C-alpha cells in the first residue's frame, strides 16, 4: 500500500513538473557598446513552491541592478500560474556577449533556460536612427494556443507612433469563439489610443510559426506614443479565450460535422511583456516647436474679411495627419495691438479604423478688433518632426487682412440688472456687464408697455395666486433640500458601476451637463481654458473656477493617460471631489469649494 502511494505521489509530482515551462529572451540581439539589453524570464504552469529567480550570469554584459525592473506573478486555481521577471544589462565592449542560463527553483526542482548570445558592435547606433529590429518574441514552444504583441517598430523617437497588434495563434483543431482582456495593462511611459481591428484581421488566417501550420486572428490593436526616452516596458497582457476543441479530428470543420467529438473550453493565455526603445529627438528644432511627431498638414481661414470694432471674428486653424492628435498644440499668433485674441477652443476628431492613427484637431481663435482700420494678421507657422525623413518641417498659412469699420470699441460698464437667476449664488462675484453706448433693446416697447401692462397685471395676479396655491405643498426649494440633485445621484451610480476610462468620461459629462443646465454653457466643445473664461464672464469665483478646471483635468488624465484609469483610489478621490464641487455649485452665496 505504501509502495502504491509512493508511486502515485511520484507520478503526480512528475505530471506537475511536466506542466512547467521556462524560457527567456532579450529585446534585441544586436546592440552598440554602452547600450542596454533587456532580458526577460518567463515561467508558466504549476508554480507552487516557486523561489526567487536570480539574474543570469553574463559575459561581456554588466547587470545594471539586481532588483528586477519588472516582476509579475499571476496565480491561477487551475495550475496555469505565470511569472515574468525582467532585468537590464549594459553592453561593455564589441564582440559576442552571452547571457548564461537562468535558474528558477520550483517545488524543490531547478529549471534552467538556454544561454542567449548578443552581438555588440564597437559604437552605439547614431542618435535618432532606428536600430535593427530584433526578431519577434518567441511564442510558447509547441503550444496550441498563445498570444503575442507585434509592434510596428521596436525603436522610435519620443512622441512617434507605434501600432501594436495583439495576435492570437491557435492550432487548426481549435475554434476560438471569444477573447477578452482579464486584467489591467501597464503602459507607463506611453500615451495610449485604442484602435479598431479591421474586419479582415478578425477572420482566422493560415500562418506558419516555426515551420508549424497555425491559424491567427488579431484580437486587439493599440497606438502608443512614447512620452519619455529610454527603454519602455509594456507589461504582459492576459486574455481569456472561449473556444471549441476538436477531440478526434485535426480538421477545423470537425466541430460542425461531428459536434459530439468536440468540447467547449476556456483558457487563459498571456501576451509576453514587450520592451520598446524611445530615442530623444535630434537637435535643431525650430522656434515654437511643441513636440508634434508624425506627418501633418495645416490650413487656416478667417471667418470674414470685415467686421465692426468690438465685433468678434473667428480664426479657424485645422491640423490633420498621423500622430498624437490629442496633444497637438496650437500655432502661436503674432497679432497687432489693435486685435485682442482669446485662448482657442479645441475640437478633436480621430479615425480609429486607420493604422497608424490619423485625425485632425481644430483650433478656433476668437479675435476682437478694438479700433477701425486695416488689421494685418501675420502668417501662421507650426512645426513638427517627420520621423520618416528624420527632419523638422514647418507648415504655414496666411497672412490674413481684417478690415475693421467704426470707431474704437468703448469700455464696458455695469448694467443696472441684478444677479443672473440662472447662476448659483455660490459662483457670483460681480454683476453682469454690457458695453457703454448700447441702447436698451426694450426702449421702443416702453410706450406700448405703459398702456398694456396695467391690463396684463390683473391677469398675472390671478394666475400667480393659483400657481402659489398649487406649489405651496411642494416648492422646488423644498424638493431640492429634501433630496440630492440628479447629477449627484448619477455621480454615485457611476462610481459604483463604472471602472477605468468610462468612469472618468461619465464624470466629465455630468459636470459639463450640470454647468450647461445651470449656467447656459455649451455641454461639449469648450476647452478647459475656454470654459474657465466663460465661467469668469458669468461671475464664477476664482476658487470655483480652479476646482472645475482641476476636476476636468483629472478626468482627462483618467481617460487618456496610460494606467491612470486603473487606480481605484484615484477614482474614489475624483468621485469625492466631484461630489463636493456639485454641492458647492448648489450652495448659497459665499460658499467655497473644499479642495
Amino acid at each position: 500500500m505504501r509502495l502504491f502511494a509512493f508511486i502515485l505521489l511520484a507520478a503526480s509530482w512528475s505530471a506537475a513538473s511536466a506542466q512547467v515551462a521556462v524560457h527567456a529572451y532579450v529585446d534585441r540581439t544586436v546592440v552598440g557598446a554602452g547600450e542596454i539589453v533587456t532580458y526577460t524570464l518567463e515561467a508558466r504552469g504549476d508554480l507552487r513552491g516557486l523561489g526567487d529567480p536570480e539574474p543570469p550570469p553574463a559575459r561581456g554584459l554588466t547587470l545594471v541592478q539586481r532588483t528586477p525592473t519588472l516582476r509579475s506573478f499571476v496565480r491561477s486555481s487551475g495550475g496555469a500560474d505565470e511569472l515574468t521577471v525582467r532585468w537590464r544589462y549594459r553592453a561593455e565592449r564589441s564582440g559576442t556577449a552571452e547571457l548564461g542560463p537562468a535558474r528558477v527553483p520550483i517545488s524543490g526542482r531547478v529549471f534552467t533556460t538556454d544561454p542567449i548570445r548578443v552581438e555588440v558592435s564597437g559604437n552605439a547606433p547614431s542618435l535618432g536612427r532606428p536600430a535593427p529590429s530584433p526578431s519577434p518574441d518567441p511564442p510558447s514552444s509547441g503550444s496550441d494556443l498563445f498570444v503575442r504583441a507585434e509592434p510596428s517598430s521596436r525603436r522610435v523617437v519620443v512622441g512617434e507612433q507605434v501600432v501594436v497588434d495583439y495576435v492570437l495563434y491557435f492550432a487548426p483543431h481549435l475554434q476560438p469563439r471569444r477573447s477578452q482582456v482579464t486584467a489591467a495593462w501597464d503602459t507607463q511611459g506611453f500615451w495610449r489610443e485604442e484602435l479598431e481591428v479591421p474586419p479582415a484581421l478578425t477572420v482566422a488566417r493560415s500562418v506558419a510559426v516555426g515551420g508549424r501550420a497555425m491559424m491567427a486572428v488579431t484580437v486587439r490593436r493599440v497606438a502608443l506614443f512614447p512620452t519619455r526616452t529610454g527603454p519602455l516596458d509594456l507589461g504582459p497582457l492576459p486574455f481569456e479565450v472561449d473556444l471549441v476543441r476538436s477531440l478526434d479530428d485535426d480538421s477545423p470543420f470537425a466541430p460542425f460535422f461531428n459536434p459530439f467529438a468536440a468540447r467547449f473550453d476556456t483558457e487563459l493565455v498571456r501576451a509576453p511583456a514587450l520592451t520598446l526603445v524611445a530615442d530623444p529627438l535630434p537637435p535643431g528644432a525650430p522656434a515654437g516647436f511643441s513636440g508634434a511627431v508624425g506627418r501633418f498638414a495645416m490650413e487656416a481661414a478667417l471667418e470674414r474679411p470685415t467686421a465692426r470694432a468690438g465685433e468678434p471674428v473667428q480664426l479657424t486653424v485645422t491640423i490633420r495627419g498621423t500622430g498624437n492628435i490629442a496633444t497637438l498644440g496650437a500655432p502661436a499668433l503674432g497679432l497687432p495691438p489693435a486685435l485682442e485674441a482669446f485662448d482657442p477652443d479645441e475640437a478633436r476628431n480621430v479615425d480609429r479604423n486607420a493604422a497608424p492613427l490619423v485625425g485632425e484637431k481644430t483650433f478656433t481663435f476668437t479675435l476682437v478688433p478694438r479700433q477701425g482700420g486695416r488689421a494685418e494678421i501675420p502668417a501662421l507657422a507650426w512645426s513638427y518632426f517627420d520621423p520618416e525623413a528624420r527632419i523638422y518641417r514647418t507648415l504655414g498659412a496666411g497672412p490674413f487682412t481684417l478690415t475693421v469699420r467704426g470707431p474704437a470699441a468703448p469700455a464696458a460698464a455695469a448694467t443696472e440688472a441684478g444677479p443672473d437667476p440662472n447662476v448659483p449664488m455660490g459662483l457670483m462675484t460681480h454683476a453682469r456687464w454690457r458695453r457703454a453706448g448700447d441702447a436698451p433693446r426694450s426702449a421702443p416697447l416702453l410706450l406700448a408697455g405703459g398702456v398694456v401692462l396695467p391690463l396684463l397685471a390683473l391677469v398675472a395676479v390671478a394666475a400667480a395666486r393659483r400657481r402659489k396655491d398649487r406649489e405651496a405643498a411642494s416648492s422646488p426649494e423644498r424638493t431640492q433640500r429634501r433630496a440630492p440633485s440628479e447629477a449627484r445621484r448619477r455621480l454615485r451610480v457611476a462610481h459604483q458601476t463604472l471602472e477605468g476610462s468610462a468612469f472618468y468620461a461619465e464624470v466629465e459629462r455630468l459636470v459639463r451637463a450640470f454647468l450647461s443646465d445651470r449656467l447656459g454653457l455649451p455641454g461639449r466643445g469648450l476647452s478647459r481654458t475656454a470654459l474657465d473664461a466663460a465661467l469668469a464672464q458669468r461671475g464664477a469665483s476664482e476658487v470655483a473656477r480652479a476646482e472645475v478646471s482641476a476636476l476636468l483635468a483629472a478626468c482627462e488624465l483618467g481617460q487618456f493617460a496610460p494606467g491612470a484609469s486603473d487606480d481605484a483610489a484615484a477614482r474614489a478621490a475624483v468621485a469625492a471631489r466631484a461630489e463636493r464641487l456639485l454641492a458647492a455649485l448648489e450652495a448659497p452665496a459665499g460658499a467655497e469649494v473644499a479642495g
Side-chain angles (χ1 to χ4, degrees):
M1 186 66 182
R2 291 182 180 179
L3 178 60
F4 175 76
F6 175 79
I7 295 175
L8 182 61
L9 178 62
S12 61
W13 178 80
S14 300
S17 300
Q19 295 174 0
V20 175
V22 177
H23 71 277
Y25 55 91
V26 293
D27 63 330
R28 47 195 173 135
T29 57
V30 179
V31 298
E35 289 195 323
I36 299 297
V37 177
T38 301
Y39 177 93
T40 302
L41 172 68
E42 292 185 346
R44 293 186 177 90
D46 187 353
L47 303 185
R48 288 174 293 183
L50 173 69
D52 287 332
E54 295 290 328
R59 175 173 55 83
L61 300 168
T62 300
L63 182 65
V64 175
Q65 63 180 34
R66 293 191 62 84
T67 303
T69 59
L70 173 70
R71 191 184 192 282
S72 172
F73 182 78
V74 178
R75 172 71 70 185
S76 172
S77 59
D81 309 329
E82 297 189 16
L83 170 72
T84 303
V85 188
R86 180 172 293 163
W87 293 277
R88 288 179 177 151
Y89 292 79
R90 179 179 291 105
E92 296 296 340
R93 57 184 180 274
S94 60
T96 301
E98 185 177 87
L99 288 158
R103 298 167 58 86
V104 183
I106 302 175
S107 299
R109 295 192 62 190
V110 176
F111 294 80
T112 60
T113 64
D114 295 330
I116 300 175
R117 291 185 177 181
V118 177
E119 295 297 328
V120 183
S121 61
N123 299 311
S126 60
L127 184 65
R129 296 179 59 87
S133 296
S135 59
D137 295 337
S140 300
S141 178
S143 175
D144 286 346
L145 182 73
F146 59 90
V147 63
R148 67 186 183 192
E150 299 181 356
S152 58
S153 177
R154 293 197 177 217
R155 186 161 198 150
V156 293
V157 295
V158 63
E160 183 179 354
Q161 181 172 181
V162 179
V163 177
V164 181
D165 281 351
Y166 282 84
V167 182
L168 180 68
Y169 293 88
F170 54 95
H173 68 276
L174 300 179
Q175 294 293 316
R177 299 303 186 191
R178 183 186 63 88
S179 66
Q180 63 179 0
V181 177
T182 60
W185 191 30
D186 184 7
T187 56
Q188 295 183 7
F190 292 96
W191 183 286
R192 185 176 78 206
E193 295 280 0
E194 295 289 340
L195 302 181
E196 297 293 335
V197 178
L201 297 183
T202 62
V203 178
R205 54 193 181 273
S206 299
V207 295
V209 180
R212 182 184 178 194
M214 299 285 288
M215 305 295 289
V217 61
T218 302
V219 294
R220 190 176 189 181
R221 172 171 282 181
V222 63
L224 300 176
F225 302 88
T227 58
R228 62 173 185 260
T229 59
L232 302 175
D233 294 332
L234 295 180
L237 187 61
F239 289 82
E240 185 180 77
V241 181
D242 294 338
L243 53 86
V244 178
R245 187 186 303 273
S246 175
L247 303 179
D248 299 331
D249 192 348
D250 289 338
S251 169
F253 302 103
F256 301 98
F257 296 108
N258 188 11
F260 298 103
R263 75 167 186 265
F264 292 89
D265 204 352
T266 299
E267 288 198 16
L268 180 67
V269 293
R270 179 177 295 267
L274 179 69
T275 297
L276 305 179
V277 179
D279 292 322
L281 291 168
F289 172 71
S290 59
V293 178
R295 295 291 301 274
F296 299 96
M298 180 177 72
E299 61 183 30
L302 195 61
E303 180 183 10
R304 56 184 181 275
T306 61
R308 294 176 54 220
E311 182 180 15
V313 178
Q314 291 186 339
L315 174 65
T316 302
V317 182
T318 300
I319 300 172
R320 59 176 55 92
T322 63
N324 193 351
I325 303 298
T327 60
L328 296 183
L333 297 183
L335 298 178
L339 284 178
E340 180 181 359
F342 295 91
D343 290 335
D345 291 341
E346 301 178 5
R348 180 175 67 128
N349 183 31
V350 296
D351 182 5
R352 300 187 185 278
N353 293 304
L357 178 74
V358 299
E360 65 180 26
K361 196 170 190 179
T362 300
F363 304 92
T364 303
F365 296 88
T366 298
L367 311 179
V368 180
R370 293 304 182 190
Q371 64 187 37
R374 290 171 59 88
E376 299 292 337
I377 303 174
L380 307 178
W382 187 84
S383 300
Y384 68 94
F385 179 74
D386 185 340
E388 295 182 8
R390 319 301 295 179
I391 60 174
Y392 291 95
R393 300 184 187 273
T394 299
L395 304 175
F400 306 93
T401 300
L402 179 64
T403 302
V404 184
R405 302 188 304 271
T415 68
E416 296 180 359
D420 188 341
N422 294 320
V423 179
M425 294 302 296
L427 288 175
M428 289 297 297
T429 57
H430 56 77
R432 290 182 294 172
W433 296 81
R434 64 173 174 84
R435 293 197 175 280
D438 290 347
R441 296 182 180 179
S442 58
L445 302 178
L446 290 179
L447 182 59
V451 177
V452 178
L453 284 179
L455 297 178
L456 294 179
L458 296 176
V459 178
V461 169
R465 286 179 177 176
R466 287 195 300 268
R467 185 169 59 253
K468 183 176 181 181
D469 293 339
R470 187 170 56 249
E471 295 178 352
S474 179
S475 67
E477 291 80 6
R478 291 179 181 177
T479 301
Q480 187 174 14
R481 284 195 300 266
R482 284 199 305 263
S485 69
E486 177 67 11
R488 294 165 67 188
R489 185 191 68 80
R490 297 185 65 178
L491 173 65
R492 287 192 286 270
V493 172
H495 186 209
Q496 295 170 359
T497 60
L498 298 180
E499 296 182 354
S501 60
F503 164 77
Y504 290 97
E506 178 66 7
V507 172
E508 179 183 4
R509 191 190 67 77
L510 287 174
V511 171
R512 286 185 177 271
F514 183 89
L515 295 175
S516 175
D517 293 340
R518 298 298 292 269
L519 306 182
L521 296 174
R524 287 288 182 181
L526 286 183
S527 65
R528 282 191 284 114
T529 302
L531 179 60
D532 182 74
L535 290 174
Q537 292 176 358
R538 286 160 174 78
S541 68
E542 292 186 3
V543 174
R545 287 161 46 202
E547 184 64 17
V548 170
S549 181
L551 178 61
L552 294 181
C555 290
E556 292 176 5
L557 181 69
Q559 292 178 72
F560 303 111
S565 63
D566 302 328
D567 190 339
R571 292 198 301 272
V574 167
R577 192 170 196 169
E579 178 87 13
R580 291 194 299 270
L581 175 63
L582 295 177
L585 295 181
E586 296 176 340
E592 294 290 353
V593 178

